[in-house]
Amino acid sequence: MDSLDFIKDIVLPPLFEGTLVTLKLLVFSIPLGLVLGILIGTGRVYGNRIISFLCTVYTIFFRGTPLLVQLFVIYYGLPSLGIYFSPFTAAVIGFVICSAAYHSEYIRGAFLSIKNGQMMAAQALGMSRMQAIVNIIFPQAIRRALPGCSNEIIYLVKYSSLAFMVTCVELTGAGKIVATRYFRYTEVFLVIGALYLIMVTIVSNLLKVMERRLKIPGLG
Amino acid sequence: MQEDQPIVLKIENIHKRYGETEVLKGVSFTVKRGETKVIIGPSGSGKSTLLRCINQLTIPDQGRVWLEDEEVTHIKKDINLFRQKIGMVFQDFNLFDHLTALRNVEIGLIKVKGMNKKQARERAYNELLRVGLKDQANLYPAQLSGGQKQRVSIARALAMDPSVILFDEPTSALDPELIGEVLEVIKNLALSGMTMVVVTHEMGFARSVANEIIFIENGMILDQGSPYDLFINPKHERTKKFLYKITELYGKSKDE
């Protein structure tokens, strides 16, 4: 069987199934990771001493340990405490936790880049600190954080392949299974690479469109 | 004409210290309805800190502030309710960078006063009209000149229907040719009976608009009185010197 037929008939069907799983992982992980990252980043900058401390510890911990280790702990470690997750759920939890740690850094930096005068002017109008953060500071900060967060989201598209390590058969996992069965790694992994490239291109273009939509003169 | 007007703002014995430096050493004054009080003094004399102590953006170490018979510094009172009624205009404008001129003016009405969007929009638009910026309503701060930004920030303060507006060197960050348009707006406010406390170096403006000028140095009121008292007949040699110097520096006839 030549390469093209092999790819078309044998490789692509399972890879498409794997791609669907990857996409499903991303659909949950990207928004949840971003939301958690925003909460952690906000807590670090504007939380009281305890909240700020806890959020900082979170970031140190989950940015400082390998994602693979986190996934292993979630999937293989937690059952010893009586906590069981499906492979898919375990992977999503790991991705959300890890990407949130990175997002929180971008968000924190963006918050710190907003001039103090914005908060002062908001409070001078009679806004509470919370109102000022929500209505004035955050809408500016998120625009500044977006390029950094986009980068993290693109990483996430690729490190979603680690889900296979907790037996969630996504794109890379599906490929590994096919490749091993037929012992034809080159074709299979080239196709996998191309599929990731397509996904990354789509995601980064979507993010670019979002950045452009949110763009405001003089901000960002 | 302000003689028999009620007192809008009363500041009593305000002290503020930053580390070793005592920035304010017991400042007291009152502002009556419709009065324009101008605060002058050298840089670092505590003028901006004093203004911020009034609406508690800076918490004074000691001293009390009243707004229309209610104590602003009272521990149990919600400061945000007072701040709604104390407008503030900053030296560097502090417009909300992500909002258009119109939305800068309406956001306080919507989020703080809970006004419905349609009413708020209408009110905001009228305030922009009042400061001569109806054509700029949909521009973002980055698209406005300094003078326009400052006028938007004045409109933003006005929209809240404040009992008093505090101006913190409103023209100090502006190019000389843009100062006039902002002073014009402030002057018209004074004439329309708005109660104001203005920190400024614009002596021509102070002379023509102030009901009373307060000269602050080293955190204390050194001299105060009508423009006539201070410019023609100052009590202290120091006041005379300062006024001479600053008038020479900024020119005296911009507003005369």
Side-chain angles (χ1 to χ4, degrees), chain A residues 114-129 131 134-140 143-144 215-219, chain B residues 52 55 57 80-81 83-84 86-88 90 92-99 104 107-108 111-112 140-143 156-157 160:
Chain A
I114 306 295
K115 272 186 289 169
N116 189 32
Q118 298 285 313
M119 173 62 90
M120 251 191 335
Q123 289 186 311
L125 277 180
M127 286 191 199
S128 65
R129 232 171 112 75
Q131 279 180 313
V134 171
N135 295 306
I136 306 300
I137 311 288
F138 179 71
Q140 297 182 39
R143 289 177 164 86
R144 295 222 172 127
K215 182 143 185 63
I216 281 172
L219 248 192
Chain B
R52 280 170 202 177
N55 64 358
L57 284 177
N80 294 323
L81 293 177
R83 285 182 181 149
Q84 289 179 38
I86 305 175
M88 190 158 204
F90 299 87
D92 38 10
F93 329 124
N94 291 336
L95 289 184
F96 304 131
D97 292 326
H98 64 303
L99 300 176
N104 260 280
I107 193 161
K111 301 292 176 188
V112 178
Y140 286 95
Q143 299 166 314
R156 176 173 70 179
M160 301 295 285

Coordinates of all heavy atoms in Angstrom, one line a residue, chain A residues 114-129 131 134-140 143-144 215-219, chain B residues 52 55 57 80-81 83-84 86-88 90 92-99 104 107-108 111-112 140-143 156-157 160:
Chain A
I114 N -1.7 49.4 34.5 CA -2.8 50.5 34.5 C -2.4 51.5 35.5 O -2.2 51.2 36.7 CB -4.2 49.9 34.8 CG1 -4.5 48.7 33.9 CG2 -5.2 51.0 34.7 CD1 -4.6 49.0 32.4
K115 N -2.4 52.8 35.0 CA -2.0 53.9 35.9 C -3.0 54.0 37.1 O -4.2 53.8 37.0 CB -1.9 55.2 35.2 CG -0.5 55.4 34.5 CD -0.4 56.7 33.9 CE -1.3 56.8 32.7 NZ -1.5 58.1 32.1
N116 N -2.4 54.3 38.2 CA -3.1 54.5 39.5 C -4.2 55.5 39.4 O -5.3 55.5 40.0 CB -2.1 54.9 40.6 CG -2.8 54.9 41.9 OD1 -3.7 54.1 42.2 ND2 -2.4 55.8 42.8
G117 N -4.0 56.5 38.5 CA -5.0 57.6 38.3 C -6.4 57.0 37.9 O -7.4 57.6 38.2
Q118 N -6.4 55.9 37.2 CA -7.7 55.3 36.7 C -8.5 54.9 37.9 O -9.7 55.2 38.0 CB -7.4 54.1 35.8 CG -6.7 54.5 34.5 CD -7.5 55.2 33.5 OE1 -8.6 54.7 33.2 NE2 -7.0 56.3 32.9
M119 N -7.8 54.2 38.9 CA -8.5 53.8 40.1 C -9.0 55.1 40.9 O -10.1 55.1 41.4 CB -7.6 53.0 40.9 CG -8.1 52.6 42.3 SD -9.6 51.6 42.3 CE -9.0 49.9 42.2
M120 N -8.1 56.1 40.9 CA -8.4 57.3 41.7 C -9.6 58.0 41.1 O -10.6 58.4 41.8 CB -7.2 58.2 41.7 CG -6.6 58.3 43.1 SD -5.4 59.6 43.3 CE -4.8 59.9 41.8
A121 N -9.6 58.1 39.8 CA -10.7 58.8 39.1 C -12.1 58.0 39.3 O -13.1 58.6 39.6 CB -10.5 59.0 37.6
A122 N -12.0 56.7 39.3 CA -13.2 55.9 39.5 C -13.7 56.1 40.9 O -14.9 56.2 41.1 CB -12.9 54.4 39.2
Q123 N -12.8 56.0 41.8 CA -13.2 56.2 43.2 C -13.7 57.6 43.5 O -14.7 57.8 44.3 CB -12.1 55.8 44.2 CG -11.8 54.3 44.2 CD -10.8 54.0 45.2 OE1 -9.7 54.6 45.3 NE2 -11.1 52.9 46.0
A124 N -13.1 58.6 42.8 CA -13.6 60.0 43.0 C -15.0 60.1 42.5 O -15.7 61.0 43.0 CB -12.6 60.9 42.3
L125 N -15.4 59.3 41.6 CA -16.8 59.4 41.1 C -17.8 58.7 42.1 O -19.0 58.8 41.9 CB -16.9 58.6 39.8 CG -16.6 59.4 38.5 CD1 -16.8 58.4 37.3 CD2 -17.4 60.6 38.3
G126 N -17.2 58.0 43.0 CA -18.1 57.3 44.0 C -18.2 55.8 43.8 O -19.0 55.1 44.4
M127 N -17.3 55.2 42.9 CA -17.3 53.8 42.7 C -16.6 53.1 43.9 O -15.6 53.7 44.4 CB -16.6 53.4 41.4 CG -17.3 53.7 40.2 SD -16.5 52.9 38.7 CE -17.3 53.9 37.4
S128 N -17.0 52.0 44.3 CA -16.3 51.2 45.2 C -15.1 50.6 44.5 O -15.0 50.6 43.3 CB -17.2 50.1 45.8 OG -17.4 49.2 44.7
R129 N -14.1 50.1 45.3 CA -13.0 49.5 44.7 C -13.3 48.4 43.7 O -12.8 48.3 42.6 CB -12.1 48.9 45.8 CG -10.7 49.3 45.8 CD -10.0 48.8 47.1 NE -9.0 47.8 46.8 CZ -7.8 48.1 46.3 NH1 -7.5 49.3 46.0 NH2 -6.9 47.1 46.1
Q131 N -16.2 48.0 42.1 CA -16.8 48.5 40.9 C -15.7 49.1 40.0 O -15.8 49.0 38.8 CB -17.8 49.7 41.3 CG -19.1 49.2 41.7 CD -20.0 50.4 42.1 OE1 -19.6 51.4 42.8 NE2 -21.2 50.5 41.6
V134 N -14.0 46.2 38.2 CA -14.8 45.5 37.2 C -15.0 46.5 36.0 O -14.9 46.0 34.9 CB -16.1 45.1 37.8 CG1 -17.1 44.6 36.8 CG2 -15.9 44.0 38.9
N135 N -15.4 47.7 36.3 CA -15.8 48.6 35.2 C -14.7 49.4 34.5 O -14.8 49.8 33.3 CB -16.8 49.6 35.7 CG -18.1 49.0 36.2 OD1 -18.7 48.2 35.5 ND2 -18.5 49.2 37.4
I136 N -13.6 49.7 35.2 CA -12.6 50.5 34.7 C -11.3 49.8 34.5 O -10.7 49.8 33.4 CB -12.4 51.7 35.7 CG1 -13.7 52.5 36.0 CG2 -11.3 52.7 35.1 CD1 -14.4 53.0 34.7
I137 N -10.8 49.1 35.5 CA -9.4 48.6 35.4 C -9.4 47.3 34.6 O -8.6 47.2 33.6 CB -8.9 48.2 36.8 CG1 -9.1 49.4 37.8 CG2 -7.4 47.8 36.7 CD1 -8.2 50.6 37.6
F138 N -10.4 46.4 34.8 CA -10.3 45.1 34.1 C -10.5 45.3 32.6 O -9.7 44.7 31.8 CB -11.4 44.2 34.7 CG -11.4 42.8 33.9 CD1 -10.4 41.9 34.1 CD2 -12.4 42.5 33.1 CE1 -10.3 40.8 33.4 CE2 -12.4 41.4 32.3 CZ -11.4 40.5 32.5
P139 N -11.4 46.1 32.1 CA -11.6 46.2 30.7 C -10.3 46.7 30.0 O -10.0 46.4 28.8 CB -12.7 47.2 30.5 CG -13.4 47.2 31.8 CD -12.5 46.9 32.8
Q140 N -9.5 47.5 30.7 CA -8.3 47.9 30.1 C -7.2 46.9 30.2 O -6.4 46.6 29.3 CB -7.8 49.2 30.8 CG -8.8 50.4 30.7 CD -8.3 51.6 31.3 OE1 -7.1 51.9 31.3 NE2 -9.2 52.4 31.9
R143 N -7.3 43.9 27.8 CA -6.8 44.2 26.4 C -5.3 44.1 26.4 O -4.7 43.7 25.4 CB -7.3 45.6 26.0 CG -8.8 45.6 25.7 CD -9.3 46.9 25.4 NE -10.6 46.9 24.7 CZ -11.8 46.9 25.4 NH1 -11.8 46.9 26.7 NH2 -12.9 46.8 24.7
R144 N -4.7 44.6 27.5 CA -3.2 44.5 27.5 C -2.7 43.1 27.7 O -1.6 42.7 27.2 CB -2.7 45.4 28.6 CG -3.0 46.8 28.5 CD -1.8 47.7 28.9 NE -2.0 49.0 28.5 CZ -1.9 50.0 29.3 NH1 -1.5 49.8 30.6 NH2 -2.2 51.3 28.9
K215 N -9.9 46.2 20.1 CA -8.9 47.2 20.0 C -9.6 48.6 20.2 O -10.6 48.9 19.6 CB -8.2 47.2 18.7 CG -7.1 48.2 18.6 CD -5.9 47.7 17.9 CE -4.7 48.7 17.9 NZ -4.2 49.0 19.3
I216 N -8.9 49.4 21.0 CA -9.4 50.8 21.3 C -8.2 51.7 21.0 O -7.1 51.4 21.5 CB -9.9 50.9 22.7 CG1 -11.3 50.3 22.8 CG2 -9.9 52.3 23.2 CD1 -11.8 50.2 24.2
P217 N -8.4 52.8 20.4 CA -7.3 53.7 20.1 C -6.6 54.1 21.4 O -7.2 54.4 22.4 CB -8.0 55.0 19.5 CG -9.2 54.5 19.0 CD -9.7 53.3 19.8
G218 N -5.3 53.9 21.4 CA -4.5 54.4 22.5 C -4.4 53.3 23.6 O -3.7 53.5 24.6
L219 N -5.0 52.2 23.4 CA -4.9 51.1 24.5 C -4.3 49.9 23.8 O -4.6 49.5 22.7 CB -6.3 50.7 24.9 CG -6.7 51.1 26.4 CD1 -8.0 50.4 26.7 CD2 -5.6 50.8 27.4
Chain B
R52 N -7.0 65.8 48.1 CA -7.3 64.4 48.2 C -7.8 64.0 49.6 O -8.5 63.0 49.8 CB -6.1 63.5 47.8 CG -6.0 63.5 46.3 CD -4.7 62.9 45.9 NE -4.5 63.3 44.5 CZ -3.4 63.0 43.8 NH1 -2.4 62.3 44.4 NH2 -3.3 63.5 42.6
N55 N -11.8 64.4 49.7 CA -12.7 63.3 49.4 C -12.1 61.9 49.8 O -12.5 60.9 49.3 CB -13.0 63.3 47.9 CG -11.8 63.1 47.0 OD1 -10.7 63.0 47.5 ND2 -12.1 63.1 45.7
L57 N -9.5 60.3 49.2 CA -8.6 59.5 48.3 C -7.3 59.3 49.1 O -6.6 58.3 48.9 CB -8.4 60.1 47.0 CG -9.5 60.1 46.0 CD1 -9.2 60.8 44.7 CD2 -9.9 58.6 45.7
N80 N -18.3 56.4 49.7 CA -18.7 56.5 48.2 C -19.9 57.4 48.0 O -20.0 58.0 46.9 CB -19.0 55.1 47.7 CG -17.8 54.3 47.7 OD1 -16.7 54.8 47.4 ND2 -17.9 53.0 48.0
L81 N -20.8 57.5 49.0 CA -21.9 58.5 48.9 C -21.4 59.9 48.9 O -22.0 60.7 48.1 CB -22.9 58.2 50.0 CG -23.6 56.9 50.0 CD1 -24.5 56.7 51.3 CD2 -24.4 56.7 48.8
R83 N -18.4 60.9 47.9 CA -17.6 61.1 46.7 C -18.4 61.4 45.5 O -18.0 62.2 44.6 CB -16.7 59.9 46.4 CG -15.5 59.8 47.4 CD -14.6 58.7 47.0 NE -13.5 58.5 47.9 CZ -12.9 57.4 48.3 NH1 -13.4 56.3 47.7 NH2 -11.9 57.4 49.1
Q84 N -19.6 60.8 45.5 CA -20.6 61.2 44.4 C -20.8 62.7 44.3 O -21.1 63.3 43.3 CB -21.9 60.5 44.6 CG -21.9 59.0 44.4 CD -23.3 58.5 44.6 OE1 -24.3 59.1 44.3 NE2 -23.4 57.3 45.2
I86 N -18.8 65.1 45.6 CA -17.6 65.9 45.5 C -16.9 65.6 44.2 O -16.3 64.5 44.0 CB -16.7 65.5 46.7 CG1 -17.4 65.7 48.0 CG2 -15.4 66.4 46.6 CD1 -16.5 65.3 49.2
G87 N -17.1 66.5 43.2 CA -16.5 66.2 41.9 C -15.0 66.4 42.0 O -14.5 67.2 42.9
M88 N -14.2 65.7 41.2 CA -12.8 66.0 41.2 C -12.2 66.0 39.8 O -12.6 65.1 38.9 CB -12.1 64.9 42.0 CG -10.6 65.3 42.2 SD -10.0 64.4 43.7 CE -8.6 65.4 44.1
F90 N -8.6 66.1 37.7 CA -7.2 65.9 38.0 C -6.3 66.6 37.0 O -6.7 66.9 35.9 CB -6.9 64.4 37.9 CG -7.7 63.5 38.9 CD1 -8.9 63.1 38.5 CD2 -7.1 63.2 40.1 CE1 -9.7 62.3 39.4 CE2 -7.8 62.4 41.0 CZ -9.1 61.9 40.6
D92 N -3.7 65.4 35.5 CA -3.5 64.6 34.2 C -4.7 63.9 33.8 O -4.7 62.8 33.2 CB -2.3 63.6 34.4 CG -2.3 63.0 35.8 OD1 -3.3 63.2 36.5 OD2 -1.3 62.3 36.1
F93 N -5.9 64.5 34.0 CA -7.2 64.2 33.4 C -7.8 62.8 34.0 O -8.9 62.8 34.4 CB -7.2 64.1 31.9 CG -6.2 65.0 31.2 CD1 -5.2 64.5 30.4 CD2 -6.2 66.4 31.5 CE1 -4.3 65.4 29.8 CE2 -5.3 67.3 30.9 CZ -4.4 66.8 30.0
N94 N -6.9 61.8 33.9 CA -7.4 60.5 34.3 C -8.8 60.1 33.7 O -9.6 59.5 34.3 CB -7.5 60.4 35.8 CG -6.2 60.4 36.5 OD1 -5.2 60.0 35.9 ND2 -6.1 60.9 37.7
L95 N -8.9 60.4 32.4 CA -10.1 59.9 31.7 C -9.9 58.3 31.6 O -8.8 57.8 31.6 CB -10.2 60.5 30.3 CG -10.6 61.9 30.2 CD1 -10.7 62.3 28.8 CD2 -11.9 62.2 31.0
F96 N -11.1 57.6 31.5 CA -11.0 56.2 31.4 C -10.6 55.9 30.0 O -11.4 56.1 29.0 CB -12.3 55.6 31.8 CG -12.7 56.0 33.2 CD1 -14.0 56.4 33.5 CD2 -11.8 55.9 34.3 CE1 -14.4 56.8 34.8 CE2 -12.2 56.2 35.6 CZ -13.5 56.7 35.8
D97 N -9.5 55.3 29.8 CA -8.9 55.2 28.4 C -9.7 54.3 27.5 O -9.5 54.4 26.3 CB -7.4 54.7 28.5 CG -6.5 55.7 29.2 OD1 -6.8 56.9 29.0 OD2 -5.6 55.3 29.9
H98 N -10.5 53.4 28.1 CA -11.1 52.4 27.2 C -12.6 52.9 26.8 O -13.3 52.2 26.2 CB -11.2 51.1 27.9 CG -12.0 51.1 29.1 ND1 -11.8 51.9 30.2 CD2 -13.1 50.4 29.5 CE1 -12.7 51.7 31.2 NE2 -13.5 50.8 30.8
L99 N -12.9 54.1 27.3 CA -14.3 54.6 27.0 C -14.2 55.8 26.2 O -13.3 56.7 26.3 CB -15.0 54.9 28.3 CG -15.2 53.7 29.3 CD1 -15.8 54.1 30.6 CD2 -16.0 52.6 28.6
N104 N -17.3 58.1 29.1 CA -16.6 58.5 30.3 C -17.5 59.3 31.2 O -17.5 59.3 32.4 CB -15.4 59.4 29.9 CG -14.1 58.7 29.9 OD1 -13.5 58.5 31.0 ND2 -13.6 58.2 28.8
I107 N -20.7 56.9 32.6 CA -20.4 55.7 33.4 C -20.7 55.9 34.9 O -21.3 55.0 35.5 CB -19.0 55.1 33.2 CG1 -19.0 53.7 33.8 CG2 -17.9 56.0 33.8 CD1 -17.9 52.8 33.3
G108 N -20.4 57.1 35.4 CA -20.7 57.3 36.8 C -22.2 57.4 37.0 O -22.7 56.9 38.1
K111 N -23.3 53.5 36.7 CA -22.8 52.5 37.7 C -22.9 53.0 39.1 O -23.1 52.2 40.0 CB -21.3 52.2 37.4 CG -21.0 51.6 36.0 CD -21.6 50.2 35.9 CE -21.4 49.7 34.5 NZ -22.1 48.4 34.2
V112 N -22.8 54.3 39.3 CA -22.8 54.8 40.7 C -24.2 55.3 41.0 O -24.7 55.0 42.1 CB -21.8 56.0 40.8 CG1 -21.9 56.5 42.2 CG2 -20.4 55.4 40.5
Y140 N -12.2 58.5 21.5 CA -11.6 57.9 22.7 C -10.6 59.0 23.2 O -10.1 59.8 22.4 CB -10.9 56.6 22.4 CG -11.8 55.5 22.2 CD1 -12.3 55.1 20.9 CD2 -12.3 54.8 23.3 CE1 -13.2 54.1 20.8 CE2 -13.2 53.8 23.1 CZ -13.7 53.4 21.9 OH -14.6 52.4 21.7
P141 N -10.2 58.9 24.5 CA -9.3 59.8 25.1 C -8.0 60.0 24.2 O -7.5 61.1 24.0 CB -8.9 59.2 26.4 CG -10.2 58.5 26.8 CD -10.7 58.0 25.5
A142 N -7.5 58.9 23.7 CA -6.2 59.0 22.9 C -6.4 59.9 21.7 O -5.4 60.3 21.1 CB -5.7 57.6 22.5
Q143 N -7.7 60.1 21.3 CA -7.9 60.9 20.0 C -8.2 62.3 20.4 O -8.6 63.1 19.5 CB -9.1 60.2 19.3 CG -8.8 58.8 18.9 CD -10.1 58.1 18.4 OE1 -11.1 58.2 19.1 NE2 -10.0 57.4 17.3
R156 N -17.5 65.1 33.1 CA -17.7 63.9 33.9 C -18.0 64.2 35.3 O -18.9 63.6 35.9 CB -16.4 63.0 33.8 CG -16.5 61.8 34.6 CD -15.3 60.9 34.4 NE -14.0 61.4 34.9 CZ -12.8 60.8 34.8 NH1 -12.7 59.7 34.2 NH2 -11.8 61.4 35.3
A157 N -17.3 65.2 35.9 CA -17.6 65.6 37.2 C -18.9 66.3 37.3 O -19.7 66.1 38.2 CB -16.5 66.6 37.7
M160 N -22.4 64.4 37.6 CA -22.8 63.8 38.9 C -23.6 64.7 39.8 O -24.0 64.4 40.9 CB -21.6 63.2 39.6 CG -20.8 62.2 38.9 SD -21.7 60.7 38.6 CE -21.6 59.9 40.2

